[in-house]
Amino acid sequence: PISAHVPMDENETFRVVFKRVAVRKSPSVTAEIVGAETKGATVTGKVSRVQGKLWLQRSDGTPGWMLVDGTSLGLGKLLESFSAAKMACGNIGERLWHSPLRELPQPQWAPRHGYVALSGGLSATGWRNIWVLGGIMPNLGYSDDIWRSVDGGTSWGLVPAGIHWSPRSEFGCCGGSTAPEPKPKGVIYVVGA
């Protein structure tokens, strides 16, 4: 027998958080499968409660129904509301500081502006590496030096640069890895100036 379903508010957008979620012809785990979405996909529709389970009736993509939470089937959460995802991570910067701030001595590379700072990879001390690259030093101009801290910014060491590194400021920079485990090598990519 078909039970009445109770629609919730208006359309909501969800992210698929399970490896693959079926799109069904009707809101039942035994209904015909008419499509599927994979982890990371976004889907939009109205949520309804049918026989105690929440279902999303698609208003985009493949028409049909997607089960929101498969815990009762041993699958766990299948779809996550974007509003729930936003609440989990908060606003940008809201959870930036997880430890008390501490005052640091002025580093050897200061003062300067227009430099790039980068953090990544654990150092042998257990702290993340922090790099400061290039920039403009007052009364000296563009700099080609690279500094690294392995103790959270308390002390800094000058890092030897390759022959292609030239004085620069306000450029793009990101960190990466050359190979997967067991022995990845960190790399710094520089773009511009």
Side-chain angles (χ1 to χ4, degrees):
I2 297 176
S3 67
H5 61 271
V6 180
M8 304 294 181
D9 298 328
E10 18 187 276
N11 278 348
E12 282 188 68
T13 301
F14 288 80
R15 176 178 291 120
V16 176
V17 294
F18 194 72
K19 60 185 173 185
R20 187 176 165 104
V21 179
V23 179
R24 297 187 178 271
K25 191 171 187 174
S26 62
S28 168
V29 294
T30 58
E32 177 186 347
I33 296 175
V34 295
E37 295 290 348
T38 56
K39 188 173 185 174
T42 57
V43 294
T44 302
K46 290 188 178 182
V47 176
S48 295
R49 184 173 302 279
V50 181
Q51 294 181 342
K53 292 184 174 76
L54 292 179
W55 288 85
L56 177 72
Q57 185 176 18
R58 300 279 304 267
S59 62
D60 68 337
T62 305
W65 295 79
M66 298 177 74
L67 185 61
V68 174
D69 190 325
T71 302
S72 64
L73 304 172
L75 302 174
K77 186 183 290 188
L78 305 175
L79 307 177
E80 181 177 64
S81 167
F82 266 101
S83 58
K86 183 180 179 214
M87 287 175 64
C89 68
N91 294 321
I92 293 175
E94 186 175 286
R95 297 184 183 198
L96 192 58
W97 301 109
H98 292 285
S99 61
L101 296 177
R102 59 188 172 106
E103 189 171 343
L104 298 172
Q106 181 169 336
Q108 302 95 305
W109 52 263
R112 73 177 63 204
H113 64 89
Y115 60 89
V116 169
L118 182 66
S119 173
L122 286 177
S123 68
T125 63
W127 287 84
R128 294 233 172 245
N129 290 292
I130 304 172
W131 289 273
V132 169
L133 299 90
I136 300 172
M137 299 175 68
N139 303 320
L140 295 174
Y142 290 93
S143 171
D144 66 351
D145 54 6
I146 301 172
W147 293 85
R148 183 178 86 155
S149 175
V150 296
D151 60 6
T154 301
S155 63
W156 294 84
L158 196 56
V159 177
I163 60 171
H164 298 294
W165 180 249
S166 60
R168 64 189 74 210
S169 75
E170 300 177 12
F171 52 94
C173 185
C174 68
S177 178
T178 60
E181 295 290 344
K183 298 224 177 202
K185 293 190 185 206
V187 293
I188 296 175
Y189 298 99
V190 174
V191 180

